[in-house]
Amino acid sequence: MRFPGKIIALAISLIVILFASINFIFFLKNVSIETESQRYNSFNLMDTAKIYSNRFGFPHIQSNSEHDMFFSIGFIHAKERLWQMDFARRAGRGRLAEILGKDAAQYDMFIRSLNLEKTVAETKKILNSKTKSILEAYSEGVNFYIETHPDKLSFEFGALGYSPAKWLPEDCLIIAKMMAFELSLGFYYDVAFGEMASSIGLKKAQDLLPGYPDESPFVLDDEIKARNYNIVLKDTTKIDSSKADTTKIGMSGLEGFSDFVYSARKFIGIDGSSIGSNSWARRKNINAPSAAVLANDPHLPLGMPARWLPLQASCPDFNAIGFMVPGVPLFISGRNDFIAWGITNIMLDDCDFFVEKLDKSEKYFFNPDSSKSKIIYQIDTINIKNAQPILYYKRFTSRGQIISDAHVFNVKSRKHGLNGKSKYLKQNALTFRWTGSEINDDIFSMYKINNAKNWAEFNQGTDKWSAPALNFTYCDKKGNVGIAPSGFAPLRDKNCNPNFPSAAYEKNTGWLGIAKNNFFPKLYNPKKGFVASANNKMGDLPNFVSSLWEPPSRIERIEELILASQDYTARDAQYMQNDYLSLYAKKQYTFIIPIFEKYKHVLDKKEAEAYRIMKKWDFIMTPTSATSSIYNVFL
């Protein structure tokens, strides 16, 4: 028997592993965290700037100029989230394969088909002088951290064996564009609906489009009337389904493309954009002028590190506190000395796909007048970690890059050409239009919002916003409340179906243009005393906005609680954010319970017990509720 020796060896091994693990944990703890106060000197600073952290690690910046404030924001962003920032700019440029290897190559190709780098390069040419100074100061701060902390970089850089490149102002713009892509639901749903139409027919697929109950709350309620629009288009969701043969969905050779788009979003970590957000603002006294309370919860995916970075920054002409996206130098949601603001996704359908018909040579595409135009080829290279680079062609029609080429991407067969495709893909391709491809100075828009003192100044910022389209909720010290839906919107031609891919080679199926600047109506100080949005329908507007509204249960619960008391405080808003009652589950019960009741005689013992418990449920989804667990598994 040699068990004692083996036990001793096992014990020694466990001790060594434990000791190594403890050392590794301390290494991770200290690798990018300052444990005591530090002082730095930089020629880029105009004066002294101070950064404090409270007991939660919440950074507070005090400076004597905007330049030094934005420099300090860049420094603290890099200190807290440099890996997250570097990953995001790489993802937006399609350069993840350089650090992650060949598995990332197909996703790099897909992201490059969005042409974000080209859009950002064009955007940089039109930036406001204020925007340029903000981005330059911020970039100086990021680079100062990189230069002064080569041994304090995030663990991921060491694990992957590379160092971060110099931060450029356009990197901020790339990350902002990636946020627009994340919140664009059309990039996934339009192709998914197209695949459905190819399988079951356009009429049945249209019947499956989600709707929104007429009796449920709108973001812009009946007290506001849509103003006169320069362009009024018919609601293209009501296209006659009998014209299915002329709409030519033509997706039969692209099955799985929507799954591929979803897998790309998931690989990058931006697959949770449709899980809902909420924001509301209410006067403390609903029937009289008084102070106001604003609440906001933008429901982006929970992750490590977190998507948002809480921060406070101040200088003589600027003082704001709220949430930032690391890599973007301004507050997305927050408050200053005069106002508070929050955001939710409008759910605007801001992207459409178009089926292109190619000739047999694959060198030309057909126009709506049956003429042919030459496809433009552009060679590109994807560098891959520990592997040979991949050379491939980007292809362009007059509508833009052929995005479906990413779906048929194959490392072995497509180094220098377009071989290995199905017969369908040799004759058809997908292009797209997206409002996020438009050139606009959203950074300056954010600056105006962050620095606004009243509703008029707030709208000077929101009116210039492009993408993603957002509901900006507002309140101020005087008790005014409002909501400003903002963003660029497609102006579709009469045969352009926003829910399904349209035939690019048919007449009147494209975009007439894009509506910019102050396009949507606003709601300010309504008689009801509050404004609210939870990705619910905006209202009955003369132009098409979306078919992708979230179910109304959250906004119904918000309005129910907002109206529950005459006086309203911040504590009431906190209570509401932690409310667990599900009106959605309550509605589902009106369908579920009668069915179970009818067939309860076929339930086994465990099922009958679960049903007995479920019938008594109060629809409150507490984490420890067994009934809540049963319902969610069933759902």
Side-chain angles (χ1 to χ4, degrees):
M1 298 289 290
R2 296 183 180 180
F3 289 122
K6 291 183 177 181
I7 292 173
I8 292 171
L10 179 61
I12 292 172
S13 298
L14 291 174
I15 291 170
V16 170
I17 292 171
L18 179 62
F19 180 77
S21 299
I22 291 172
N23 275 284
F24 183 65
I25 290 170
F26 274 98
F27 165 75
L28 288 181
K29 175 181 179 293
N30 295 320
V31 68
S32 58
I33 298 176
E34 304 284 3
T35 56
E36 56 188 40
S37 61
Q38 301 285 334
R39 183 181 181 89
Y40 302 98
N41 295 311
S42 171
F43 292 113
N44 296 112
L45 285 172
M46 301 169 64
D47 201 341
T48 300
K50 298 179 180 180
I51 302 175
Y52 302 93
S53 292
N54 64 15
R55 63 193 180 96
F56 301 109
F58 196 125
H60 294 258
I61 295 170
Q62 294 179 2
S63 57
N64 295 317
S65 68
E66 279 195 356
H67 174 276
D68 290 357
M69 181 185 72
F70 287 114
F71 178 96
S72 301
I73 291 173
F75 181 89
I76 203 67
H77 277 198
K79 176 180 177 294
E80 298 290 335
R81 303 287 184 83
L82 184 58
W83 159 251
Q84 184 181 22
M85 293 161 59
D86 188 71
F87 185 89
R89 66 172 171 174
R90 281 185 172 277
R93 293 179 183 276
R95 294 182 57 186
L96 289 177
E98 294 176 12
I99 61 171
L100 300 179
K102 62 182 181 180
D103 289 344
Q106 60 180 328
Y107 303 121
D108 281 348
M109 186 180 183
F110 171 72
I111 292 297
R112 290 187 189 196
S113 67
L114 305 182
N115 279 301
L116 298 185
E117 282 197 292
K118 180 182 178 182
T119 302
V120 163
E122 294 298 316
T123 299
K124 192 177 177 182
K125 298 176 183 178
I126 58 92
L127 293 180
N128 182 287
S129 59
K130 172 63 72 174
T131 300
K132 292 179 181 178
S133 66
I134 291 171
L135 295 179
E136 287 167 2
Y138 177 86
S139 299
E140 289 169 0
V142 175
N143 291 324
F144 182 69
Y145 180 84
I146 295 173
E147 293 162 7
T148 55
H149 293 75
D151 58 342
K152 288 283 186 179
L153 298 178
S154 304
F155 166 73
E156 291 87 349
F157 291 110
L160 293 170
Y162 81 102
S163 297
K166 182 179 179 180
W167 193 267
L168 303 174
E170 47 265 45
D171 292 330
C172 302
L173 304 179
I174 285 282
I175 291 175
K177 285 295 182 184
M178 284 299 286
M179 182 178 178
F181 173 63
E182 176 174 12
L183 295 180
S184 173
L185 303 180
F187 263 104
Y188 173 75
Y189 286 106
D190 284 12
V191 183
F193 290 146
E195 292 177 12
M196 289 165 52
S198 288
S199 176
I200 64 174
L202 181 61
K203 185 178 186 307
K204 289 183 179 179
Q206 283 183 314
D207 291 340
L208 292 175
L209 290 173
Y212 190 86
D214 292 336
E215 68 277 8
S216 295
F218 293 154
V219 174
L220 306 173
D221 58 25
D222 294 335
E223 296 176 28
I224 187 169
K225 301 298 181 183
R227 50 170 190 225
N228 292 325
Y229 283 72
N230 292 327
I231 300 176
V232 179
L233 303 177
K234 71 175 186 177
D235 185 345
T236 47
T237 58
K238 298 175 182 177
I239 288 177
D240 185 0
S241 60
S242 65
K243 296 181 180 180
D245 57 334
T246 60
T247 57
K248 293 182 173 61
I249 297 301
M251 291 289 294
S252 59
L254 282 165
E255 288 92 347
F257 186 64
S258 60
D259 289 338
F260 171 74
V261 174
Y262 177 76
S263 69
R265 294 165 68 105
K266 188 172 183 179
F267 185 87
I268 297 168
I270 56 173
D271 58 313
S273 62
S274 61
I275 54 178
S277 300
N278 60 64
S279 187
W280 65 86
R282 207 205 98 154
R283 289 196 296 266
K284 288 189 174 182
N285 187 320
I286 205 165
N287 295 319
S290 60
V293 176
L294 184 143
N296 185 207
D297 186 4
H299 296 175
L300 293 181
L302 186 64
M304 288 293 287
R307 181 63 58 87
W308 303 105
L309 178 64
L311 192 142
Q312 183 263 335
S314 65
C315 66
D317 298 321
F318 189 106
N319 181 38
I321 185 170
F323 289 97
M324 291 181 151
V325 172
V328 180
L330 288 150
F331 295 91
I332 305 295
S333 172
R335 67 180 189 270
N336 60 30
D337 294 335
F338 305 94
I339 72 166
W341 68 94
I343 60 165
T344 60
N345 191 351
I346 283 181
M347 313 298 281
L348 173 71
D349 190 342
D350 59 2
C351 174
D352 284 333
F353 287 89
F354 302 92
V355 178
E356 305 276 358
K357 181 184 287 186
L358 313 181
D359 74 346
K360 292 182 179 180
S361 72
E362 298 183 65
K363 295 180 180 179
Y364 296 89
F365 63 92
F366 287 91
N367 296 306
D369 61 1
S370 299
S371 66
K372 293 193 291 185
S373 296
K374 198 168 186 178
I375 295 172
I376 304 300
Y377 284 73
Q378 184 183 97
I379 199 164
D380 196 9
T381 304
I382 295 177
N383 294 313
I384 301 178
K385 182 179 181 180
N386 300 326
Q388 291 295 314
I390 296 172
L391 274 66
Y392 70 100
Y393 282 107
K394 293 180 176 181
R395 299 190 296 167
F396 297 83
T397 72
S398 58
R399 279 157 289 277
Q401 185 170 341
I402 294 177
I403 195 171
S404 54
D405 282 348
H407 176 47
V408 296
F409 183 69
N410 183 291
V411 174
K412 293 181 179 179
S413 66
R414 301 203 47 215
K415 287 185 178 180
H416 296 283
L418 296 164
N419 302 313
K421 297 183 301 180
S422 67
K423 182 178 179 181
Y424 174 86
L425 289 169
K426 289 182 179 180
Q427 306 288 190
N428 298 272
L430 278 184
T431 53
F432 71 100
R433 288 287 307 270
W434 174 43
T435 60
S437 299
E438 295 302 302
I439 298 166
N440 192 62
D441 192 349
D442 285 334
I443 297 295
F444 186 65
S445 172
M446 293 170 65
Y447 175 78
K448 296 291 287 185
I449 292 169
N450 286 197
N451 220 19
K453 296 179 175 62
N454 51 53
W455 175 248
E457 291 184 6
F458 181 72
N459 285 315
Q460 288 176 13
T462 61
D463 286 349
K464 297 181 183 299
W465 182 259
S466 67
L470 298 171
N471 288 310
F472 288 94
T473 312
Y474 167 95
C475 78
D476 60 34
K477 290 169 62 176
K478 297 180 180 180
N480 298 303
V481 298
I483 192 162
S486 307
F488 290 0
L491 296 174
R492 297 175 170 92
D493 209 340
K494 61 182 180 180
N495 291 330
C496 179
N497 193 322
N499 297 306
F500 301 90
S502 298
Y505 47 91
E506 296 288 338
K507 294 181 179 179
N508 306 317
T509 59
W511 286 11
L512 298 174
I514 291 177
K516 303 180 179 181
N517 303 333
N518 198 22
F519 180 67
F520 295 106
K522 300 178 176 66
L523 186 63
Y524 183 61
N525 282 339
K527 293 179 181 179
K528 62 183 182 181
F530 70 90
V531 294
S533 63
N535 312 119
N536 52 310
K537 189 173 181 177
M538 293 182 67
D540 289 325
L541 302 181
N543 59 296
F544 173 78
V545 178
S546 181
S547 299
L548 303 174
W549 314 109
E550 286 288 298
S553 54
R554 286 185 295 116
I555 191 64
E556 290 170 351
R557 181 61 173 164
I558 287 169
E559 293 203 355
E560 180 181 312
L561 292 174
I562 280 180
L563 295 170
S565 60
Q566 177 69 25
D567 296 312
Y568 193 80
T569 67
R571 185 69 187 90
D572 294 315
Q574 292 170 347
Y575 169 79
M576 286 176 61
Q577 289 286 23
N578 287 286
D579 175 58
Y580 287 131
L581 189 140
S582 172
L583 290 185
Y584 184 81
K586 188 175 182 179
K587 287 183 178 180
Q588 292 297 311
Y589 257 50
T590 62
F591 301 100
I592 294 169
I593 295 301
I595 295 172
F596 272 116
E597 188 65 29
K598 182 177 180 180
Y599 295 101
K600 64 182 180 181
H601 61 280
V602 302
L603 302 178
D604 63 26
K605 187 175 181 181
K606 285 186 178 180
E607 291 168 345
E609 175 64 12
Y611 175 53
R612 185 187 67 79
I613 295 171
M614 285 181 70
K615 282 204 300 182
K616 298 179 180 179
W617 189 31
D618 57 7
F619 313 109
I620 297 177
M621 291 200 181
T622 54
T624 56
S625 167
T627 317
S628 174
S629 298
I630 293 171
Y631 168 76
N632 278 285
V633 169
F634 171 81
L635 186 63

